Amino acid sequence: MLFHEQAQAVEGGPPREAAASCRPKLSILSLYPELLNVYGDRGNVLSLVQRARWHGIEPAVTEAGLGTDVDAGQFDLVVLGGGQDRAQRAIAEDLRRYKGPSLAAAIEEGLPVLAVCAAYQLMGHFYRTADGYEIPGLGIFAVWTEAGKGRLIGDIAVQAELPGRRLTLVGFENHGGRTHLGPGARPLGRVLRGHGNNGTDRTEGVVYRSAIGTYLHGSLLPKNPELADWLLQAALDRRYGGSVRLGRLDDRIEARARSVLLRRLLGPPFLRLS
């Protein structure tokens, strides 16, 4: 990952050395980190924490696993990663019993959420496995998923459309499920190279209010710092009502790394998309 050794210069943001007690605070809930952490998805939490600190914000992370009853609405941002099918069954039941109702209610009120791969599937209506077993989801996203023949694997580039932002995202996907968007579902973006939701309709992920479902591992956020800042800003807006704005960090190292991957995937003519 591309963590900087030292604090970067901030333009227009809060003073980096401000006293901790004066800093805006941000609480991050990491759900099932022991089960949902394939392809380094934990790096998304690390990226949010580090970038929050660079922006002069004081982050705090709470981890919650199976059997823990937490109120997602008490947090500013929620992160879930990808995992195996057998983990999904246990997590689906746990979500239904403990965490799902508060998570759904908070998303309706604007809680930003990043759900990757297995978590993305569980926030849809259902995931039907290869043996026909249907794992019920929370139904927050108007999508459903079915196991397909073979896996969709490889690096991926996506032209993403978020409220107020247009981004070119890069990541890595490896999933057997084919996710289909239902009526009214808004994709995270259009696949430029790779497979996306199902390998056929060129869509990738879904966006509902400030919640994002996606198949992009990577880890996603260290590779796409603008997306990390979009999530942080959404969290700050919800907590502080728009009174705290992020500054601009020096992301030249991250931009160079992303450009290398985009050139490999799309060729030089497409770099203008970034």
Side-chain angles (χ1 to χ4, degrees):
M1 289 187 295
L2 300 168
F3 289 156
H4 297 229
E5 293 297 324
Q6 297 179 334
Q8 300 172 322
V10 179
E11 297 179 4
R16 190 178 299 279
E17 300 303 329
S21 60
C22 298
R23 296 176 179 173
K25 301 181 187 303
L26 206 65
S27 58
I28 300 171
L29 175 61
S30 175
L31 288 178
Y32 314 109
E34 76 286 5
L35 296 173
L36 299 179
N37 184 34
V38 299
Y39 305 113
D41 285 338
R42 179 176 165 75
N44 292 325
V45 176
L46 299 176
S47 179
L48 289 167
V49 167
Q50 189 60 55
R51 291 190 69 81
R53 288 174 177 157
W54 285 337
H55 281 295
I57 297 162
E58 187 177 343
V61 177
T62 299
E63 296 185 346
L66 295 174
T68 304
D69 192 1
V70 295
D71 180 359
Q74 298 302 308
F75 295 86
D76 299 313
L77 206 164
V78 176
V79 182
L80 307 93
Q84 305 299 320
D85 284 4
R86 60 180 179 274
Q88 279 185 279
R89 301 190 188 200
I91 291 170
E93 174 61 17
D94 191 80
L95 282 171
R96 187 187 66 79
R97 293 184 60 186
Y98 298 113
K99 305 171 181 72
S102 68
L103 182 61
I107 287 174
E108 290 295 328
E109 296 172 352
L111 174 70
V113 174
L114 176 65
V116 177
C117 201
Y120 166 34
Q121 295 169 351
L122 288 175
M123 289 181 65
H125 291 301
F126 62 84
Y127 171 51
R128 186 174 295 124
T129 66
D131 59 6
Y133 183 81
E134 196 167 286
I135 301 173
L138 295 176
I140 297 172
F141 296 147
V143 305
W144 73 93
T145 304
E146 300 173 305
K149 293 182 178 178
R151 300 190 67 80
L152 305 178
I153 305 173
D155 290 320
I156 178 172
V158 175
Q159 191 68 61
E161 299 284 350
L162 291 164
R165 292 301 301 272
R166 190 168 192 257
L167 304 172
T168 305
L169 304 176
V170 295
F172 175 77
E173 59 180 333
N174 183 353
H175 51 102
R178 272 60 164 173
T179 296
H180 303 276
L181 303 180
R186 175 180 174 179
L188 171 61
R190 177 174 60 90
V191 174
L192 301 174
R193 182 62 59 89
H195 304 287
N197 279 329
N198 48 55
T200 57
D201 67 6
R202 309 305 294 168
T203 66
E204 206 293 316
V206 71
V207 178
Y208 179 67
R209 299 189 181 275
S210 296
I212 295 172
T214 180
Y215 277 115
L216 270 63
H217 298 279
S219 303
L220 173 61
L221 297 184
K223 287 183 174 179
N224 301 279
E226 291 176 311
L227 180 59
D229 282 1
W230 186 88
L231 288 165
L232 289 172
Q233 188 62 66
L236 290 168
D237 288 347
R238 179 170 174 265
R239 178 161 180 161
Y240 293 101
S243 63
V244 178
R245 305 297 301 173
L246 295 180
R248 186 164 60 87
L249 298 175
D250 181 355
D251 290 324
R252 284 176 291 181
I253 295 174
E254 290 87 344
R256 285 200 296 271
R258 199 162 60 103
S259 294
V260 169
L261 184 54
L262 283 171
R263 183 179 292 111
R264 186 190 309 159
L265 288 172
L266 307 176
F270 294 92
L271 288 178
R272 63 181 183 274
L273 293 171
S274 64

